[in-house]
Amino acid sequence: MRIHLKIGKKDADLIYWIESLPCGCFSHYAALILKAEVRKKIAIVPVYEHEGISDKTKEVAIYVNDKQVISMIESLPKGTRARYIKKVVRKHINANFRKNSQRQEDKQIEENKLDFSPEIQASKGQTENENKNTVEEKTAEANDFRARMMKMTNR
């Protein structure tokens, strides 16, 4: 199913988010968000560090293959589909933004704590190395995904 959305100046926050994504990824993330919404979960999507707005307008398409999502969208009255989709996408972006902000605050709090006991220092070193490895792996995966998406859009 193909869903066409016109995103205007009233949705400046959505346009800002769409522009922060790699080219052509909006449809993928929007489909993930709709699938998560049907399952009553929050999708994990990339978000910007700071909220912002854009004064542009955009026309985008979302391609959905999930049968539950299609039936949910078809059950909505035609005049309310776009508004509902924008509301759901905004809900998931804001949830991810809050989660990201909370992680940054927790990280700052953790960095500001001082603990001089050798046992805790040793255990912190181990967990920091483990976390660093997983973050580096996730970053490499994200960069690889971006590179593949860029190749696909440049064809």
Side-chain angles (χ1 to χ4, degrees), residues 17-51:
W17 179 68
I18 291 168
E19 289 177 346
S20 74
L21 296 173
C23 187
C25 290
F26 172 73
S27 178
H28 170 74
Y29 288 121
L32 284 177
I33 288 170
L34 291 171
K35 189 184 291 188
E37 184 68 19
V38 166
R39 290 167 177 75
K40 299 189 183 329
K41 296 185 179 188
I42 296 293
I44 298 173
V45 295
V47 291
Y48 33 79
E49 281 190 35
H50 304 285
E51 289 183 287

Side-chain angles (χ1 to χ4, degrees), residues 102-131:
Q102 185 62 42
R103 272 193 219 124
Q104 288 176 350
E105 288 175 14
D106 291 345
K107 186 177 178 180
Q108 281 183 328
I109 290 170
E110 190 64 32
E111 288 173 354
N112 292 335
K113 286 183 181 177
L114 293 176
D115 194 343
F116 297 105
S117 66
E119 300 87 23
I120 293 177
Q121 290 291 339
S123 68
K124 278 186 181 177
Q126 289 175 343
T127 56
E128 285 176 4
N129 288 338
E130 292 169 2
N131 289 341

Side-chain angles (χ1 to χ4, degrees), residues 6 18 44 72 74 76 91 102 105 112 141 145:
K6 290 182 181 177
I18 291 168
I44 298 173
M72 184 264 302
E74 287 177 344
L76 297 170
K91 171 183 147 185
Q102 185 62 42
E105 288 175 14
N112 292 335
E141 288 175 15
F145 176 75

Side-chain angles (χ1 to χ4, degrees), residues 6-115:
K6 290 182 181 177
I7 303 177
K9 292 182 180 181
K10 293 179 184 176
D11 304 308
D13 58 331
L14 292 180
I15 294 172
Y16 185 80
W17 179 68
I18 291 168
E19 289 177 346
S20 74
L21 296 173
C23 187
C25 290
F26 172 73
S27 178
H28 170 74
Y29 288 121
L32 284 177
I33 288 170
L34 291 171
K35 189 184 291 188
E37 184 68 19
V38 166
R39 290 167 177 75
K40 299 189 183 329
K41 296 185 179 188
I42 296 293
I44 298 173
V45 295
V47 291
Y48 33 79
E49 281 190 35
H50 304 285
E51 289 183 287
I53 57 173
S54 176
D55 61 350
K56 300 177 184 176
T57 60
K58 280 202 174 286
E59 291 191 29
V60 293
I62 303 170
Y63 297 95
V64 180
N65 296 324
D66 190 89
K67 291 179 182 177
Q68 289 177 324
V69 174
I70 292 171
S71 64
M72 184 264 302
I73 290 184
E74 287 177 344
S75 70
L76 297 170
K78 288 203 181 224
T80 63
R81 289 180 185 178
R83 191 172 355 149
Y84 176 78
I85 291 169
K86 290 175 193 177
K87 179 181 167 189
V88 168
V89 169
R90 190 174 279 121
K91 171 183 147 185
H92 287 255
I93 291 170
N94 289 337
N96 279 273
F97 184 75
R98 283 192 307 273
K99 192 185 304 181
N100 192 26
S101 296
Q102 185 62 42
R103 272 193 219 124
Q104 288 176 350
E105 288 175 14
D106 291 345
K107 186 177 178 180
Q108 281 183 328
I109 290 170
E110 190 64 32
E111 288 173 354
N112 292 335
K113 286 183 181 177
L114 293 176
D115 194 343

Side-chain angles (χ1 to χ4, degrees), residues 139-155:
T139 303
E141 288 175 15
N143 289 337
D144 184 45
F145 176 75
R146 274 196 199 98
R148 284 184 287 162
M149 291 305 293
M150 293 303 283
K151 284 181 183 177
M152 289 175 60
T153 56
N154 288 334
R155 288 185 188 171

